[in-house]
Amino acid sequence: VAVVTVSDSVSQGKGADLSVILAKVEANLTAQRIYQDLKLEASFAGSYSSVKRYVHQLRKTDPKLVYRIEVQPAEEVQVDFGTGPTLVGPEGKRTKTWIFREVLSHSRKAYSEAVLRQDTETFLRCLENGFRAFGGVTLTVNLDNLKAAVLKADWYDPQFNPKLVDFARHYATTILPCIPRTPEHKGKVENSVAYVK
């Protein structure tokens, strides 16, 4: 089976200009969108697979930069849940568990708690227990869009669970949910959850 790359397609006169593809990758377009644009704009005769492979190569050699953000003491805590071990009861009934993890962004001091549910009451109790273990409350709480806390995920105007809003008001803290599917926004706790697991 012959594998035709995008660069082969260009050399064979199939109409793909590598600089155009590079510009579209830098504009953060998907391989599917780039392929569609090439078909329309440059009468590209190559396959989608060749474009996809080439885009993948470009992204591997030039990954997105992730900037490390440092914060002051008591400024931020990052929160996450991870799956825990399965418990087996005396009658053989299996119960799924969750590990709540809370990490201070400045010192990386952490608090963990194993729970049986991820509901709002359990989440707030774990958050409060973490604050007690740390001996204080941070200015912000950085979390993902778990259903116990965020009813509707939106970067500009998220809809929070009313119990979480009351909790944040009581403790004078601000809740900051991450953009969905961006674990690097709370990387300090993400790696920590993997460590606990």
Short mmCIF file of all heavy atoms in Angstrom, two decimals, residues 162-191:
data_model
loop_
_atom_site.label_atom_id
_atom_site.label_comp_id
_atom_site.label_asym_id
_atom_site.label_seq_id
_atom_site.Cartn_x
_atom_site.Cartn_y
_atom_site.Cartn_z
N PRO A 162 -26.90 26.80 43.30
CA PRO A 162 -27.18 27.81 44.34
C PRO A 162 -26.53 27.51 45.69
O PRO A 162 -26.12 28.42 46.41
CB PRO A 162 -28.71 27.78 44.46
CG PRO A 162 -29.19 27.21 43.18
CD PRO A 162 -28.12 26.29 42.69
N LYS A 163 -26.39 26.23 46.03
CA LYS A 163 -25.74 25.88 47.30
C LYS A 163 -24.26 26.27 47.27
O LYS A 163 -23.70 26.71 48.27
CB LYS A 163 -25.88 24.38 47.58
CG LYS A 163 -27.30 23.96 47.90
CD LYS A 163 -27.38 22.48 48.15
CE LYS A 163 -28.82 22.07 48.44
NZ LYS A 163 -28.93 20.62 48.66
N LEU A 164 -23.62 26.12 46.11
CA LEU A 164 -22.22 26.51 45.97
C LEU A 164 -22.08 28.02 46.07
O LEU A 164 -21.13 28.53 46.67
CB LEU A 164 -21.64 26.00 44.65
CG LEU A 164 -20.19 26.36 44.37
CD1 LEU A 164 -19.25 25.74 45.41
CD2 LEU A 164 -19.78 25.93 42.97
N VAL A 165 -23.02 28.76 45.49
CA VAL A 165 -22.99 30.22 45.57
C VAL A 165 -23.08 30.66 47.03
O VAL A 165 -22.32 31.53 47.47
CB VAL A 165 -24.14 30.84 44.73
CG1 VAL A 165 -24.24 32.33 44.95
CG2 VAL A 165 -23.94 30.52 43.25
N ASP A 166 -24.00 30.05 47.79
CA ASP A 166 -24.12 30.38 49.22
C ASP A 166 -22.85 30.02 49.98
O ASP A 166 -22.40 30.77 50.85
CB ASP A 166 -25.32 29.64 49.83
CG ASP A 166 -26.65 30.18 49.33
OD1 ASP A 166 -26.68 31.31 48.78
OD2 ASP A 166 -27.67 29.45 49.44
N PHE A 167 -22.28 28.87 49.65
CA PHE A 167 -21.03 28.43 50.29
C PHE A 167 -19.91 29.45 50.04
O PHE A 167 -19.21 29.86 50.96
CB PHE A 167 -20.65 27.06 49.74
CG PHE A 167 -19.36 26.51 50.27
CD1 PHE A 167 -19.33 25.74 51.42
CD2 PHE A 167 -18.16 26.76 49.61
CE1 PHE A 167 -18.15 25.22 51.91
CE2 PHE A 167 -16.97 26.25 50.09
CZ PHE A 167 -16.96 25.48 51.25
N ALA A 168 -19.77 29.86 48.79
CA ALA A 168 -18.71 30.83 48.42
C ALA A 168 -18.94 32.17 49.10
O ALA A 168 -17.99 32.81 49.56
CB ALA A 168 -18.67 31.00 46.91
N ARG A 169 -20.19 32.60 49.20
CA ARG A 169 -20.50 33.87 49.87
C ARG A 169 -20.16 33.77 51.36
O ARG A 169 -19.56 34.68 51.93
CB ARG A 169 -21.98 34.20 49.68
CG ARG A 169 -22.36 35.59 50.17
CD ARG A 169 -23.82 35.93 49.91
NE ARG A 169 -24.15 35.87 48.50
CZ ARG A 169 -25.08 35.04 47.98
NH1 ARG A 169 -25.75 34.22 48.76
NH2 ARG A 169 -25.33 35.05 46.69
N HIS A 170 -20.52 32.64 51.99
CA HIS A 170 -20.25 32.44 53.42
C HIS A 170 -18.75 32.48 53.70
O HIS A 170 -18.30 33.08 54.68
CB HIS A 170 -20.84 31.11 53.89
CG HIS A 170 -20.50 30.76 55.29
ND1 HIS A 170 -21.09 31.37 56.38
CD2 HIS A 170 -19.60 29.88 55.80
CE1 HIS A 170 -20.59 30.87 57.50
NE2 HIS A 170 -19.67 29.97 57.17
N TYR A 171 -17.94 31.83 52.86
CA TYR A 171 -16.50 31.76 53.09
C TYR A 171 -15.72 32.88 52.38
O TYR A 171 -14.50 32.89 52.43
CB TYR A 171 -15.96 30.40 52.64
CG TYR A 171 -16.24 29.32 53.66
CD1 TYR A 171 -17.26 28.40 53.46
CD2 TYR A 171 -15.48 29.23 54.83
CE1 TYR A 171 -17.52 27.42 54.40
CE2 TYR A 171 -15.74 28.25 55.77
CZ TYR A 171 -16.76 27.35 55.55
OH TYR A 171 -17.01 26.38 56.48
N ALA A 172 -16.42 33.80 51.74
CA ALA A 172 -15.80 34.94 51.06
C ALA A 172 -14.72 34.49 50.07
O ALA A 172 -13.61 34.98 50.06
CB ALA A 172 -15.22 35.93 52.06
N THR A 173 -15.08 33.52 49.24
CA THR A 173 -14.19 33.03 48.20
C THR A 173 -14.89 33.13 46.84
O THR A 173 -16.10 33.28 46.79
CB THR A 173 -13.74 31.57 48.49
OG1 THR A 173 -12.72 31.20 47.57
CG2 THR A 173 -14.89 30.59 48.39
N THR A 174 -14.12 33.06 45.78
CA THR A 174 -14.66 33.16 44.42
C THR A 174 -14.44 31.84 43.71
O THR A 174 -13.34 31.29 43.73
CB THR A 174 -13.95 34.28 43.64
OG1 THR A 174 -14.10 35.50 44.36
CG2 THR A 174 -14.51 34.43 42.25
N ILE A 175 -15.49 31.34 43.07
CA ILE A 175 -15.41 30.08 42.33
C ILE A 175 -15.04 30.40 40.88
O ILE A 175 -15.68 31.22 40.23
CB ILE A 175 -16.76 29.33 42.37
CG1 ILE A 175 -17.25 29.16 43.81
CG2 ILE A 175 -16.65 28.00 41.64
CD1 ILE A 175 -16.35 28.34 44.69
N LEU A 176 -13.99 29.74 40.38
CA LEU A 176 -13.53 29.94 39.00
C LEU A 176 -13.50 28.60 38.27
O LEU A 176 -12.54 27.84 38.40
CB LEU A 176 -12.12 30.55 38.99
CG LEU A 176 -11.97 31.92 39.62
CD1 LEU A 176 -10.49 32.31 39.67
CD2 LEU A 176 -12.76 32.95 38.84
N PRO A 177 -14.54 28.30 37.50
CA PRO A 177 -14.51 27.05 36.74
C PRO A 177 -13.61 27.18 35.51
O PRO A 177 -13.45 28.26 34.96
CB PRO A 177 -15.97 26.85 36.33
CG PRO A 177 -16.55 28.21 36.30
CD PRO A 177 -15.80 29.01 37.34
N CYS A 178 -13.01 26.07 35.11
CA CYS A 178 -12.14 26.06 33.93
C CYS A 178 -12.98 25.97 32.66
O CYS A 178 -14.15 25.62 32.70
CB CYS A 178 -11.23 24.83 33.97
SG CYS A 178 -10.11 24.83 35.34
N ILE A 179 -12.33 26.25 31.53
CA ILE A 179 -12.97 25.99 30.24
C ILE A 179 -13.10 24.48 30.11
O ILE A 179 -12.18 23.74 30.47
CB ILE A 179 -12.11 26.55 29.09
CG1 ILE A 179 -11.98 28.07 29.21
CG2 ILE A 179 -12.68 26.17 27.74
CD1 ILE A 179 -11.03 28.68 28.21
N PRO A 180 -14.25 23.97 29.63
CA PRO A 180 -14.39 22.52 29.49
C PRO A 180 -13.27 21.91 28.63
O PRO A 180 -12.82 22.50 27.66
CB PRO A 180 -15.75 22.36 28.79
CG PRO A 180 -16.50 23.60 29.18
CD PRO A 180 -15.46 24.68 29.27
N ARG A 181 -12.83 20.73 29.02
CA ARG A 181 -11.79 19.96 28.33
C ARG A 181 -10.45 20.68 28.25
O ARG A 181 -9.75 20.59 27.25
CB ARG A 181 -12.27 19.52 26.94
CG ARG A 181 -13.42 18.53 26.98
CD ARG A 181 -13.99 18.23 25.63
NE ARG A 181 -14.57 19.39 24.97
CZ ARG A 181 -15.75 19.93 25.23
NH1 ARG A 181 -16.49 19.43 26.19
NH2 ARG A 181 -16.18 20.98 24.57
N THR A 182 -10.09 21.43 29.30
CA THR A 182 -8.77 22.07 29.37
C THR A 182 -8.15 21.76 30.73
O THR A 182 -8.11 22.62 31.60
CB THR A 182 -8.86 23.60 29.17
OG1 THR A 182 -9.79 24.12 30.11
CG2 THR A 182 -9.24 23.98 27.77
N PRO A 183 -7.65 20.54 30.90
CA PRO A 183 -7.09 20.17 32.20
C PRO A 183 -5.85 20.97 32.56
O PRO A 183 -5.50 21.07 33.74
CB PRO A 183 -6.75 18.68 32.03
CG PRO A 183 -6.64 18.47 30.57
CD PRO A 183 -7.59 19.45 29.93
N GLU A 184 -5.18 21.60 31.58
CA GLU A 184 -3.98 22.38 31.90
C GLU A 184 -4.31 23.63 32.71
O GLU A 184 -3.42 24.23 33.31
CB GLU A 184 -3.21 22.77 30.63
CG GLU A 184 -3.97 23.61 29.64
CD GLU A 184 -4.77 22.80 28.63
OE1 GLU A 184 -4.96 21.59 28.82
OE2 GLU A 184 -5.23 23.39 27.64
N HIS A 185 -5.58 24.02 32.77
CA HIS A 185 -5.97 25.18 33.56
C HIS A 185 -5.92 24.90 35.07
O HIS A 185 -5.98 25.81 35.87
CB HIS A 185 -7.36 25.67 33.18
CG HIS A 185 -7.37 26.42 31.88
ND1 HIS A 185 -8.46 27.11 31.44
CD2 HIS A 185 -6.42 26.58 30.93
CE1 HIS A 185 -8.18 27.67 30.28
NE2 HIS A 185 -6.96 27.35 29.95
N LYS A 186 -5.87 23.65 35.41
CA LYS A 186 -5.70 23.28 36.82
C LYS A 186 -4.73 22.09 36.91
O LYS A 186 -5.00 21.06 37.52
CB LYS A 186 -7.02 23.00 37.50
CG LYS A 186 -7.91 22.00 36.85
CD LYS A 186 -9.22 21.90 37.60
CE LYS A 186 -10.08 20.81 37.04
NZ LYS A 186 -9.47 19.51 37.03
N GLY A 187 -3.58 22.30 36.31
CA GLY A 187 -2.58 21.25 36.22
C GLY A 187 -1.98 20.81 37.54
O GLY A 187 -1.50 19.68 37.67
N LYS A 188 -2.00 21.68 38.53
CA LYS A 188 -1.41 21.32 39.83
C LYS A 188 -2.20 20.21 40.50
O LYS A 188 -1.64 19.32 41.11
CB LYS A 188 -1.33 22.56 40.72
CG LYS A 188 -0.40 23.61 40.14
CD LYS A 188 -0.52 24.94 40.84
CE LYS A 188 0.42 25.93 40.20
NZ LYS A 188 -0.23 26.92 39.39
N VAL A 189 -3.53 20.25 40.36
CA VAL A 189 -4.35 19.21 40.98
C VAL A 189 -4.49 18.00 40.06
O VAL A 189 -4.61 16.87 40.54
CB VAL A 189 -5.73 19.76 41.41
CG1 VAL A 189 -6.66 19.96 40.23
CG2 VAL A 189 -6.38 18.85 42.44
N GLU A 190 -4.46 18.19 38.75
CA GLU A 190 -4.58 17.06 37.82
C GLU A 190 -3.48 16.04 38.06
O GLU A 190 -3.73 14.85 38.16
CB GLU A 190 -4.52 17.55 36.37
CG GLU A 190 -5.76 18.28 35.90
CD GLU A 190 -6.96 17.39 35.68
OE1 GLU A 190 -6.78 16.19 35.40
OE2 GLU A 190 -8.10 17.89 35.79
N ASN A 191 -2.24 16.50 38.12
CA ASN A 191 -1.12 15.59 38.37
C ASN A 191 -1.22 14.98 39.76
O ASN A 191 -0.84 13.83 39.97
CB ASN A 191 0.21 16.33 38.22
CG ASN A 191 0.44 16.74 36.79
OD1 ASN A 191 -0.06 16.13 35.86
ND2 ASN A 191 1.21 17.80 36.60
#
